[in-house]
Amino acid sequence: MGDGLKGLPPIASDPHDSSFSHVTGRSEYVDDRPLLKRELICGLVYSPYARANLKSTDFTQALQVPGVVEVVTAKDVVTNTWGTIFQDQPVLASTEVHYAGEVIAVLGAETPEALRMGLAQVKVEWEKLPAILSVDEAVSKKSFIGEERSIARGDVVEALKNSPKRLSGCLKIQGADHFYLESQAAVVYPKEEGQLEVHSSTQHPTETQHVVAKACGVPFKDVVCIAKRLGGGFGGKESQAAPIAAFAALMAKKTGRPARLALSKDDDMVITGKRNPFQISYDVGFNSEGKILAFDAKLFSDGGAYADLSTSIMERAMLHSDNAYFIPHMRVCGQVCRTNYHPHTAFRGFGGPKGVALIESVLEDVARETGKDALDIRKLNCYKPGEDITHYGQKVENNLLPGLFEKLETDSEYRSRREEINSWNQKAIETGGNPRGLSLTAVKFGISFTTRFLNQGNALVIIHTDGSVQVSTGAVEMGQGVNSRIASIVAEEFGLPLSSIRMMPTSTEKNANTSPTAASSGTDINGAAAQKACLEIKKRLAALALKLKDTSKELWPSKTAGLGTAPEIELGKEIETSLTQVAFENCQVMLRDKSFQLKFSDLVREAYLNRISLSEYGHYRIPDLGFDKLKGKGRAFLYYTQGVAASEVELDRDTGEVKVRRVDILMDLGRPINYGLDVGQVTGGFIQGMGWVTTENLVYNQDGFLLSHSPSTYKIPSIQDTPRIFNANLVHNEGNTVNVKSTKAVGEPPLLLCLSVWTAIRDAVMSYQGNKVIPMAIPATSERILRALTPEEFLET
């Protein structure tokens, strides 16, 4: 499998479609929209407690502040429940709050100063109630969301019993904040006859449209949601942007005035949910060579106060608990816990990072127990021919994993560096120096929504008579370059330069019933829909070109249409076969035998004058999906994006600080649509994940209120945290023919490779501690590293 695996050389790439406007500061985000006359600025009143009765509220003094206009409460909401999977969350709480940050009222004012003064005058009387603030407490009280799920293969109990060696343990994984640069924001304009135009920083315009409509008591047809671009989303705006828009919409409806709500970073972090924390217990059986024979895991996640997307997140964690490795007897059980934290939600990778963290950590432990190198344990257990069926019954097709391991082992000089690090660590133990660690981990990330009906998308392609093209899809541009990729697909289909293509803002009046831009499938679904639309237009244009070839120019539509001096050219059965004879290249449309060619723009004009449609709506649904959620079996994904990463770290013996000395990444992204954007996603995703596993520590007080709610108390990676040596390369793979243009999704998979940093930290700690198996929670903060390196210094006296 790995023989002949070749790296992909850097390829000249078109820039991000908004790169110039980003750099010059001209890119327009929601809160950049100019203020209109009489527009109101909104602020939120929310709970400081994890759980409390709302005994009384008094807005009298707040409404007397000059410039404060109106307040919206639960009594103004027509349908006061919403939820992406379960309808269990109030838009505005009325009698009881279930997490710190739950919103009870929206205040509208004419100026920021008036809003600030008005919010300070709101009087609320609370009665604190007992709250559940840990997974353990939720389990003991059976406070759950949904039913326990199980995915299993083989006889795990018997296989564990018969395994020569066994290990068990518990892995704790904290959440992380999305920390998008643009906080949650929405502007709503009331229109005639009760219509509402919503501009939202949302990954899911359709859900935002529906939540707004239900909250305001209007039909979906009277709400249009528009998302031009997002200043980052990472999953945090998939579901949780909807109530933010609803708050502004309720104010706009009640007052008849435009309403704007743009959260501060502090309010955003306090109110919105995070990556789900997980607590996992496991039991693994293996032989003396390190071959895993049986694996049993119980996953508990913290869903927060309401369901949001947590049950689907748990499902993906269970589906990815095998990662890149074949395990003959495997059982994974998952249960979402209901606690009194903000409802946790989608985050880049969804549940995948938790499942992958689990098995990669276990492999490190198995390596320690067998006295072997962890890379050899990974290669031994890797999916390969004959061992290529997942625990949910899907075959791992187009499997490059063995070759990726082999190539990166060579490219990263893993073996020689391992020897050097072993020598270094021996000296560190003797002298009290800084230990180093090295780890090479993999990712096999399934691409598709695991909820089948979400795997659909649509696109509207319009060609204007000058030959320029407008494209509208359900994909939301949130910095990842989805618009650039779809524009490239359309440009390639028509043989046009990218400058001829204009991607339009995502709008529910042009692309309805859309899926969220999530699950790394934005280009896959919407790009394929755009391609289908292009092909239908091309068939008509190509058929017309064939007709024009045999028609005297004096009888072309451009010569006759105005006066009607010749009949229109009728397109016949040749439409269906026209593309086999006609090519679209370099702004020309030509017969493949070179006997006739015409400028694209000229052919478009002839088509218009001949009353041939120059627009098309394309709908695409991902084929061949058949995952039975009840049985935990079937084809859950269209394909897998694969990759490996080798990370080397050094731990400061005195401070616990992590220095990432070198990272080498090798990814299989099929045939990249845009090489530069893909490599950017690989490196950016890795660094974002690296923050999650090292420095991003969420700290709450005893009332469940987030204390680390600002850049000063929550540390995302900076330029100083990036690897000193950072190599990211792609491999050549034309084999993913099931996807548009043979490409592979890149949004989420690279993030999971950050776990190589965490396992490298564990490698350094365990080497320093005589190769004992030592647990390490995520994130591996400086304090946790110090406690692991020198536990004797933290003993209570």
Side-chain angles (χ1 to χ4, degrees):
M1 292 298 297
D3 294 343
L5 194 64
K6 297 179 180 179
L8 192 65
I11 301 168
S13 305
D14 292 301
H16 190 290
D17 68 325
S18 298
S19 56
F20 182 78
S21 60
H22 285 350
V23 171
T24 57
R26 297 176 183 175
S27 294
E28 181 185 274
Y29 297 89
V30 170
D31 200 29
D32 292 325
R33 299 185 65 81
L35 283 165
L36 299 184
K37 286 185 178 179
R38 303 181 70 246
E39 183 170 314
L40 297 178
I41 300 169
C42 298
L44 304 178
V45 181
Y46 55 79
S47 169
Y49 304 116
R51 185 165 171 253
N53 279 326
L54 182 57
K55 296 189 69 175
S56 67
T57 55
D58 185 354
F59 302 101
T60 305
Q61 294 182 29
L63 291 171
Q64 291 175 355
V65 173
V68 174
V69 174
E70 189 57 271
V71 63
V72 169
T73 63
K75 68 178 186 295
D76 299 302
V77 186
V78 176
T79 301
N80 198 18
T81 55
W82 76 282
T84 300
I85 299 174
F86 305 114
Q87 304 286 308
D88 67 339
Q89 183 169 355
V91 176
L92 287 169
S94 57
T95 59
E96 185 177 334
V97 292
H98 293 276
Y99 66 93
E102 185 160 13
V103 180
I104 63 168
V106 185
L107 204 64
E110 294 174 332
T111 65
E113 293 76 14
L115 178 63
R116 178 178 53 79
M117 294 174 64
L119 289 171
Q121 294 300 316
V122 174
K123 307 299 181 185
V124 183
E125 185 179 357
W126 305 96
E127 179 190 9
K128 286 176 60 176
L129 298 173
I132 297 174
L133 295 175
S134 73
V135 167
D136 287 335
E137 189 176 2
V139 172
S140 69
K141 294 182 177 180
K142 300 188 184 305
S143 177
F144 298 134
I145 298 172
E147 300 296 323
E148 181 181 278
R149 295 276 301 278
S150 178
I151 299 175
R153 169 174 59 192
D155 188 338
V156 173
V157 174
E158 191 65 24
L160 280 171
K161 189 186 304 181
N162 295 328
S163 295
K165 292 177 176 290
R166 286 178 70 170
L167 273 176
S168 60
C170 180
L171 173 61
K172 294 186 177 182
I173 304 174
Q174 289 182 203
D177 188 77
H178 303 82
F179 216 90
Y180 27 69
L181 292 181
E182 177 200 25
S183 293
Q184 301 275 5
V187 180
V188 180
Y189 304 110
K191 300 289 186 178
E192 61 186 28
E193 298 180 344
Q195 298 177 70
L196 296 168
E197 181 179 297
V198 180
H199 293 260
S200 172
S201 184
T202 176
Q203 294 175 234
H204 198 349
T206 292
E207 181 177 37
T208 298
Q209 172 199 21
H210 293 176
V211 172
V212 165
K214 289 180 178 180
C216 293
V218 300
F220 295 167
K221 69 178 177 63
D222 288 339
V223 178
V224 173
C225 181
I226 302 167
K228 183 172 186 178
R229 64 165 59 86
L230 278 58
F234 311 118
K237 297 174 181 176
E238 180 175 344
S239 60
Q240 300 205 355
I244 302 300
F247 298 152
L250 288 163
M251 181 64 69
K253 180 194 175 192
K254 187 171 184 178
T255 62
R257 299 169 66 166
R260 176 183 307 248
L261 174 59
L263 298 186
S264 67
K265 176 56 68 177
D266 297 81
D267 282 348
D268 190 302
M269 292 184 72
V270 168
I271 291 170
T272 59
K274 317 302 176 192
R275 185 185 290 280
N276 290 73
F278 268 63
Q279 187 165 303
I280 306 170
S281 59
Y282 59 87
D283 194 348
V284 59
F286 51 100
N287 63 22
S288 59
E289 296 301 311
K291 182 72 171 176
I292 295 181
L293 306 174
F295 184 48
D296 196 12
K298 184 68 175 287
L299 284 65
F300 288 104
S301 74
D302 183 341
Y306 303 108
D308 201 273
L309 289 160
S310 290
T311 52
S312 286
I313 291 165
M314 173 58 77
E315 180 179 74
R316 188 170 278 268
M318 295 165 66
L319 290 168
H320 283 72
S321 292
D322 63 325
N323 193 25
Y325 313 103
F326 176 79
I327 303 171
H329 300 275
M330 182 170 178
R331 179 173 62 188
V332 186
C333 299
Q335 177 65 68
V336 180
C337 298
R338 190 185 298 276
T339 65
N340 291 112
Y341 289 111
H342 25 215
H344 295 305
T345 191
F347 199 137
R348 194 175 190 172
F350 219 55
K354 272 78 77 167
V356 174
L358 168 63
I359 189 62
E360 294 291 350
S361 178
V362 166
L363 290 167
E364 291 285 330
D365 296 347
V366 170
R368 270 356 192 242
E369 283 294 308
T370 56
K372 298 181 181 297
D373 190 285
L375 175 56
D376 293 324
I377 301 298
R378 290 184 168 94
K379 290 167 65 176
L380 177 66
N381 288 283
C382 182
Y383 279 112
K384 56 183 68 73
E387 294 184 342
D388 55 3
I389 305 296
T390 66
H391 58 300
Y392 46 93
Q394 179 168 346
K395 183 179 176 65
V396 182
E397 297 167 323
N398 193 222
N399 178 19
L400 302 187
L401 288 165
L404 290 168
F405 271 118
E406 293 288 349
K407 182 168 174 56
L408 193 65
E409 178 183 342
T410 300
D411 291 353
S412 67
E413 306 168 291
Y414 180 89
R415 298 297 177 181
S416 60
R417 290 167 60 202
R418 170 57 73 194
E419 291 181 6
E420 292 172 3
I421 287 173
N422 288 344
S423 298
W424 174 279
N425 285 342
Q426 187 57 46
K427 292 180 181 177
I429 292 170
E430 296 169 357
T431 62
N434 295 335
R436 292 179 179 176
L438 175 64
S439 185
L440 198 161
T441 65
V443 64
K444 172 186 65 65
F445 195 88
I447 305 298
S448 299
F449 289 95
T450 55
T451 300
R452 186 167 58 188
F453 68 81
L454 292 176
N455 293 292
Q456 60 177 310
N458 54 64
L460 175 64
V461 176
I462 299 171
I463 304 178
H464 294 279
T465 53
D466 64 350
S468 63
V469 183
Q470 288 180 330
V471 183
S472 300
T473 77
V476 175
E477 175 56 62
M478 46 192 176
Q480 82 281 41
V482 68
N483 278 353
S484 298
R485 291 181 174 87
I486 295 175
S488 295
I489 291 171
V490 173
E492 184 177 336
E493 288 296 334
F494 289 126
L496 299 174
L498 267 179
S499 58
S500 295
I501 315 299
R502 173 66 65 194
M503 297 300 299
M504 306 304 293
T506 309
S507 175
T508 56
E509 66 179 341
K510 294 179 181 176
N511 300 97
N513 307 315
T514 58
S515 297
T517 302
S520 302
S521 61
T523 299
D524 289 12
I525 293 174
N526 297 281
Q531 185 186 47
K532 287 186 69 174
C534 292
L535 289 173
E536 292 303 312
I537 298 173
K538 284 173 65 179
K539 287 179 183 178
R540 299 194 286 268
L541 291 177
L544 178 61
L546 290 170
K547 290 285 190 178
L548 292 177
K549 173 183 179 292
D550 298 325
T551 302
S552 171
K553 279 195 173 183
E554 287 72 25
L555 299 179
W556 283 16
S558 58
K559 305 293 185 182
T560 64
L563 297 175
T565 56
E568 290 180 318
I569 297 173
E570 297 294 332
L571 304 183
K573 294 181 180 179
E574 63 271 14
I575 286 181
E576 294 306 315
T577 59
S578 60
L579 291 180
T580 63
Q581 304 174 64
V582 179
F584 291 70
E585 299 174 2
N586 299 319
C587 300
Q588 303 286 321
V589 182
M590 63 194 75
L591 269 63
R592 296 186 187 277
D593 63 8
K594 309 297 183 184
S595 63
F596 177 80
Q597 74 175 38
L598 191 63
K599 285 179 62 178
F600 178 83
S601 56
D602 290 344
L603 179 60
V604 164
R605 180 162 174 76
E606 296 294 337
Y608 167 72
L609 295 172
N610 201 63
R611 296 194 295 179
I612 294 172
S613 173
L614 293 170
S615 63
E616 189 66 49
Y617 173 91
H619 179 266
Y620 173 77
R621 63 178 191 172
I622 292 179
D624 303 323
L625 297 178
F627 179 65
D628 187 325
K629 290 175 176 283
L630 297 179
K631 296 179 180 177
K633 296 293 181 185
R635 184 178 176 86
F637 306 111
L638 181 63
Y639 65 88
Y640 298 99
T641 293
Q642 304 158 93
V644 288
S647 294
E648 180 182 338
V649 302
E650 181 174 321
L651 311 182
D652 190 298
R653 168 65 178 71
D654 297 317
T655 66
E657 180 185 4
V658 178
K659 179 189 293 183
V660 183
R661 292 171 47 81
R662 175 175 169 177
V663 171
D664 296 88
I665 297 175
L666 190 61
M667 291 290 298
D668 161 34
L669 299 180
R671 174 184 176 265
I673 292 175
N674 187 307
Y675 180 91
L677 289 179
D678 282 2
V679 171
Q681 287 291 292
V682 169
T683 54
F686 182 89
I687 295 298
Q688 183 178 44
M690 199 177 75
W692 165 54
V693 301
T694 55
T695 62
E696 297 186 32
N697 193 23
L698 294 166
V699 180
Y700 298 84
N701 68 11
Q702 69 275 12
D703 289 319
F705 189 91
L706 182 68
L707 297 177
S708 52
H709 55 72
S710 70
S712 62
T713 52
Y714 185 80
K715 188 182 185 313
I716 65 171
S718 71
I719 192 66
Q720 300 298 328
D721 299 305
T722 56
R724 274 54 176 176
I725 301 173
F726 199 6
N727 302 313
N729 295 297
L730 310 182
V731 296
H732 181 81
N733 177 18
E734 298 276 354
N736 191 42
T737 56
V738 296
N739 197 40
V740 59
K741 298 293 184 182
S742 295
T743 187
K744 286 192 174 186
V746 65
E748 294 170 291
L751 181 140
L752 283 74
L753 293 175
C754 74
L755 292 163
S756 60
V757 172
W758 175 64
T759 51
I761 292 170
R762 289 199 68 210
D763 178 61
V765 168
M766 291 189 289
S767 296
Y768 197 77
Q769 290 291 344
N771 287 319
K772 293 183 294 186
V773 173
I774 297 176
M776 177 69 68
I778 292 177
T781 61
S782 296
E783 180 180 343
R784 286 180 176 142
I785 289 171
L786 277 179
R787 287 180 177 274
L789 286 176
T790 56
E792 68 280 357
E793 294 182 11
F794 292 87
L795 294 176
E796 294 184 7
T797 57

